[in-house]
Amino acid sequence: MLATLDEQAQAFREDVLAGLSAPIPAVPARWLYDRRGSELFDDITRLPAYYPTRTETGLLNEVMPDIAARIPRGAAVVEFGAGSQTKTPILLRAIAPAAYVPVDISGDYLNDSAAELQASFPGLEVLPVVADFVRSFNLPEGIDSLPKLGFFPGSTIGNFVPRSGTDLLRHFRALLGTGALLLIGMDRVKPIERLLAAYDDPAGVTAEFNLNLLERINRELDGDIPLDAFRHEARWNDILSRIEMHLVASRDVEFSVAGRHFRFSAGSSIHTENSHKYGPRGARLMLLAGGWTPIAEWTDPNDDFAVILAEA
Ligand code: AVI
């Protein structure tokens, strides 16, 4: 069932208040993506330092004939996320599916992007589903009998800690059924300097994206967090193989949110996002743990990004 706006507002309030009072303060990354946050993420994908989007797009263009040869004709493509206007057409053009089902929690964004894809593929049945894809939802009835291909590009899986990531993969498997295929993008481990540059770009767009969370808290939860008391920091956590985004207090600071008082000392931080990076075996193991058997994989010449096809 779709959360109403009030339920969303309530969930945001609960997550922020619990997160700011936790022993290791953290706010779930999903709250980075209000309208402004989504626009800023879009800007990030075009930054020279942020290699994942252009690398995955180039890779898909390059290897799509090989991918398409492994996908049954007349499949239903279920994309987890609204669908990008660059990556999704590469797949749809190559495999000529019978139906395309984008699933996204943001109805406006989903309907706009579905309408754009429909205009580019007039003969294709486009069936958008407004739902939070991490929760349970139903696929449109008309696609029951079609072979299914899940599409989960962008290394979005990396924003989930492994425990929730494997839960999510199992949920996709239950939804799509035995015999379904999944085409998933997974970012590779690489030299730390490149990772840090991608998540702390010189133009400061990622910093703005991160700090926008505090603006959102102030606006929607009647907060008075002084924005100049926090700075963006990207950290590489080698043990957990992930980039972490933090908002670090640059001085001792006190503020209130939704009537509650908080105190952060200089140097303490609010953890706002994880972006896990995978080695080849780690990526396959993650898929296997989630109920998917990898059957083929492709990487760009630098081995920066992998696209894996797996079977349920
Ligand atoms: C959406 N997700 C895959 C991005 C990533 O690379 O983990 C989010 C992001 N955060 C900062 N830059 C990009």
Side-chain angles (χ1 to χ4, degrees):
M1 181 95 100
L2 183 65
T4 63
L5 278 180
D6 277 358
E7 283 167 346
Q8 281 274 335
Q10 180 66 15
F12 181 45
R13 185 177 186 278
E14 282 169 13
D15 279 356
V16 169
L17 293 180
L20 291 179
S21 358
I24 300 176
V27 174
R30 59 192 290 232
W31 302 116
L32 291 166
Y33 298 87
D34 61 352
R35 178 172 283 276
R36 180 73 188 130
S38 302
E39 284 167 5
L40 285 165
F41 176 62
D42 226 48
D43 294 345
I44 288 173
T45 64
R46 286 188 285 272
L47 291 170
Y50 189 75
Y51 61 86
T53 309
R54 65 169 183 280
T55 308
E56 187 184 36
T57 306
L59 177 60
L60 286 172
N61 260 319
E62 190 69 25
V63 304
M64 194 47 84
D66 202 10
I67 295 175
R70 296 162 193 268
I71 293 168
R73 299 293 97 187
V77 174
V78 179
E79 177 159 4
F80 301 104
S84 98
Q85 297 308 317
T86 47
K87 292 178 215 171
T88 307
I90 302 171
L91 177 68
L92 299 181
R93 225 176 282 124
I95 69 166
Y100 170 63
V101 182
V103 184
D104 201 282
I105 193 168
S106 161
D108 287 351
Y109 184 59
L110 175 71
N111 290 329
D112 287 355
S113 90
E116 265 185 66
L117 279 165
Q118 183 72 84
S120 311
F121 296 87
L124 176 66
E125 186 153 26
V126 178
L127 303 166
V129 174
V130 182
D132 183 352
F133 63 69
V134 304
R135 295 176 201 276
S136 128
F137 67 95
N138 293 321
L139 290 174
E141 274 168 21
I143 67 164
D144 282 355
S145 59
L146 302 176
K148 310 285 185 312
L149 171 70
F151 186 42
F152 197 36
S155 202
T156 303
I157 189 71
N159 297 131
F160 295 81
V161 294
R163 191 180 54 244
S164 338
T166 46
D167 283 351
L168 183 64
L169 291 168
R170 284 175 181 277
H171 163 57
F172 289 171
R173 188 182 196 278
L175 182 79
L176 299 175
T178 314
L181 294 171
L182 177 69
L183 186 64
I184 184 169
M186 296 176 89
D187 196 11
R188 286 278 210 244
V189 179
K190 54 185 60 63
I192 298 171
E193 313 75 61
R194 285 195 60 212
L195 288 168
L196 291 176
Y199 290 85
D200 192 4
D201 62 280
V205 184
T206 312
E208 203 183 331
F209 170 67
N210 200 5
L211 284 158
N212 177 60
L213 176 67
L214 301 183
E215 285 192 47
R216 180 177 188 184
I217 293 173
N218 282 348
R219 187 177 60 248
E220 294 182 21
L221 299 177
D222 192 23
D224 61 3
I225 308 173
L227 299 192
D228 63 354
F230 285 89
R231 62 178 171 78
H232 165 69
E233 193 173 293
R235 297 179 190 162
W236 172 248
N237 183 329
D238 198 51
I239 300 224
L240 300 179
S241 193
R242 69 188 189 197
I243 284 284
E244 297 177 358
M245 289 206 319
H246 291 260
L247 289 164
V248 181
S250 39
R251 54 177 161 87
D252 292 349
V253 59
E254 292 184 34
F255 56 83
S256 64
V257 173
R260 294 255 301 271
H261 188 257
F262 297 93
R263 188 176 295 147
F264 278 72
S265 53
S268 59
S269 87
I270 308 167
H271 185 171
T272 51
E273 190 175 53
N274 294 312
S275 191
H276 293 80
K277 309 299 168 190
Y278 308 90
R281 290 191 175 78
R284 289 178 216 138
L285 205 54
M286 173 94 185
L287 284 161
L288 286 164
W292 294 90
T293 305
I295 52 176
E297 77 182 39
W298 300 264
T299 60
D300 59 293
N302 287 333
D303 207 12
D304 279 344
F305 201 95
V307 167
I308 305 180
L309 186 66
E311 188 175 37

